[in-house]
Amino acid sequence: MSTSAKVDWIACTVPKGWLGAFNYAPPSIKTGAYKEGGGHKNYTESRTYANGLIMMKNDHRDDMRAHVVYSAQTLGNIQHSDGLNGWDIIHWHLENDFTFTRLDLAIDAIGEEVDIARYHDLFHAGKKNTRIRTCKIIKEKAPETVCIGSMSTRKNFMRIYDKAIEQDIKELDWKRFELERRDTGATNTAWMLRNSGYTYECVAGLMRGCCDFPDDEKWNEIMSGGRIKVDLTPIKRNQTEAWLLNTCAKSLARQCTQNDDLLKEFLNEFGRYYSEYQVQMLTD
């Protein structure tokens, strides 16, 4: 009997001002030959590499920054050929200020005798801890899958199914728990993983944060650790706030690497002005 956690899907956009085309992945990944395409999800140019990695860009629209997608199979290919696992790839993209648009995490339970349908029953019996209102069990096609959350938006979505049946592997008890996050939730989930050191307990806690079954013994055995909630709400910034955070913060950081005293001077000046504005607000 065993459990393990992995990354199952990554999709992200490049930061504003990124230099160079089709270099949106860690340099150590050997992309090799590729097939060119166009029109993929409104992008004018796309490349699909031999390992399955997809990169897309649209030079005619400023609002569509370049995009990179790693499927589960691509992540497996990269780990086999280049030695980078999903956690390494998440880390590189975070360190280079990419914005995540989708992030899937998985926990595999082998030999744990998980009753998949039980979680559908527990959900509708009210024995769950979640704000999600929807839970369906899909039996029309193999494998039977319990889906928790909206199947259309999938911003905070969980699947539980028999991975052995999906992979057509006989005589193996292999159940899969998958968490899918999109947009703001995907980026915040990636940062939560980074801050935890990419631990199994963090992945399990994130799944509990999506939907928890606190009274189920088998669930508690697999989902070790506490419940971790992630903010899924997009942060709305006005133009001044966006300029300060995206442009000024980066410029200041760059200058501080060249002048050790600059950050201290900046904080002193910031503190002085901040105090003056606070006093002004109290006296107005």
Side-chain angles (χ1 to χ4, degrees):
M1 297 185 292
S2 66
T3 56
S4 60
K6 61 178 290 188
V7 184
D8 204 52
W9 191 285
I10 299 172
C12 47
T13 57
V14 304
K16 189 175 181 179
W18 187 264
L19 299 177
F22 298 110
N23 62 342
Y24 319 134
S28 57
I29 294 177
K30 302 176 185 66
T31 49
Y34 59 85
K35 179 180 179 181
E36 289 194 10
H40 186 75
K41 294 183 179 179
N42 297 320
Y43 288 88
T44 56
E45 296 179 66
S46 68
R47 290 182 182 180
T48 302
Y49 293 87
N51 58 11
L53 182 64
I54 300 174
M55 297 187 190
M56 301 168 281
K57 69 185 185 80
N58 186 337
D59 292 332
H60 306 297
R61 287 182 55 180
D62 293 335
D63 61 319
M64 289 186 67
R65 283 180 274 169
H67 201 69
V68 57
V69 179
Y70 306 79
S71 69
Q73 184 174 357
T74 301
L75 290 167
N77 291 339
I78 290 171
Q79 183 162 4
H80 176 74
S81 61
D82 304 301
L84 269 68
N85 59 37
W87 315 117
D88 298 324
I89 294 171
I90 289 175
H91 194 83
W92 185 88
H93 284 293
L94 286 175
E95 292 297 296
N96 286 278
D97 296 326
F98 281 63
T99 300
F100 286 72
T101 57
R102 176 179 171 182
L103 180 59
D104 291 12
L105 305 173
I107 286 182
D108 289 316
I110 297 177
E112 295 288 346
E113 299 181 349
V114 174
D115 182 355
I116 293 170
R118 174 173 171 77
Y119 296 109
H120 174 267
D121 298 339
L122 287 172
F123 188 100
H124 289 286
K127 296 181 179 180
K128 86 284 188 187
N129 187 356
T130 183
R131 297 180 65 180
I132 294 173
R133 299 180 180 180
T134 306
C135 179
K136 297 180 179 180
I137 186 165
I138 300 175
K139 300 182 178 181
E140 288 77 12
K141 59 179 182 178
E144 179 179 281
T145 304
V146 171
C147 298
I148 301 172
S150 171
M151 296 183 66
S152 57
T153 63
R154 303 198 180 204
K155 290 183 180 295
N156 190 29
F157 186 75
M158 186 181 291
R159 290 176 290 266
I160 308 172
Y161 61 98
D162 193 316
K163 191 68 174 178
I165 292 177
E166 184 200 59
Q167 298 295 314
D168 195 24
I169 302 175
K170 298 180 180 179
E171 299 181 0
L172 178 63
D173 178 14
W174 178 10
K175 305 302 192 302
R176 165 69 66 88
F177 299 81
E178 287 181 0
L179 173 65
E180 181 176 336
R181 289 266 167 81
R182 300 206 178 202
D183 303 328
T184 302
T187 298
N188 290 345
T189 296
W191 277 108
M192 191 70 70
L193 288 163
R194 180 189 184 280
N195 294 338
S196 77
Y198 307 101
T199 63
Y200 177 95
E201 288 74 19
C202 183
V203 176
L206 289 164
M207 290 195 180
R208 281 186 182 269
C210 174
C211 185
D212 196 13
F213 300 96
D215 297 328
D216 184 70
E217 182 178 353
K218 180 58 66 176
W219 175 267
N220 289 328
E221 287 179 7
I222 295 171
M223 302 297 169
S224 58
R227 197 163 178 247
I228 300 174
K229 293 184 179 181
V230 169
D231 186 6
L232 307 175
T233 307
I235 299 174
K236 295 183 179 180
R237 304 285 189 190
N238 60 39
Q239 288 185 341
T240 301
E241 290 173 338
W243 175 71
L244 287 168
L245 292 171
N246 296 330
T247 303
C248 292
K250 289 183 180 179
S251 296
L252 177 63
R254 188 181 302 110
Q255 292 300 317
C256 286
T257 61
Q258 302 171 20
N259 185 343
D260 294 337
D261 296 327
L262 181 59
L263 180 59
K264 182 178 179 180
E265 294 172 12
F266 172 82
L267 292 175
N268 287 337
E269 288 298 299
F270 171 83
R272 181 169 66 84
Y273 285 120
Y274 186 71
S275 298
E276 289 177 2
Y277 280 118
Q278 282 186 313
V279 171
Q280 184 178 339
M281 290 174 63
L282 291 172
T283 55
D284 285 349

